[in-house]
Amino acid sequence: MTVTRVDADRLTALLAQLADLLTATVEDGASVGFLAPLGREEALAWWRGRSAAVAAGRLAVWVAHEGERVTGTVSLALPDKPNSRHRAELVKLMVRREARGRGLGRGLLATAEEAAAAAGVTLLHLDTETDSPAEHLYRSAGWTRAGTIPDYAADPRGELRPTTLYFKQVGAPATAG
């Protein structure tokens, strides 16, 4: 299993596999921002739309693969405002069903955390569907629960579900100056 950060060109080259991963993730019931059924064209368009943010350095994307097959991904959304450059949002952590249970999700999470710290980011945050399998991963990886928002987003079936906010401090603390 290899995890690599992808640039905009590599992201474009992997569009089909990333779209397949996204549609499978939604089909499996994960609340990652889409309703089921998620069509392949919609998934392709969504990933295609990330390319400019990757090229501009506002989105960092890592892809896990076994050989040539994409098995997972995670991203960090980096703010562009001067008062928030010390933080990033962890987004779209996805692992193929057949690759789960082997530490890939934890490895992708650690990769994003380490890269954030190396880039001077000291605070990460995320939201995830309350009581989802992802919550266990984040808690066991040392993330702190900040609170829950009721009826935050519709799950893939269209039912409103609460979300839980998490944060994690990484790297050296920020200094005012």
Side-chain angles (χ1 to χ4, degrees), residues 64-133:
H65 44 93
E66 288 181 8
E68 295 299 313
R69 180 178 163 91
V70 170
T71 54
T73 187
V74 68
S75 300
L76 285 178
L78 305 163
D80 59 357
K81 295 176 185 69
N83 73 338
S84 58
R85 291 195 178 127
H86 67 287
R87 70 177 187 240
E89 181 180 9
L90 188 101
V91 294
K92 303 295 186 268
L93 174 58
M94 298 181 274
V95 174
R96 284 195 176 280
R97 180 184 314 148
E98 61 272 15
R100 292 181 193 150
R102 297 185 291 176
L104 179 55
R106 185 169 304 280
L108 284 164
L109 185 58
T111 295
E113 291 172 1
E114 291 164 11
V121 170
T122 58
L123 179 65
L124 295 175
H125 63 97
L126 63 84
D127 70 88
T128 191
E129 183 179 333
T130 303
D131 297 327
S132 68

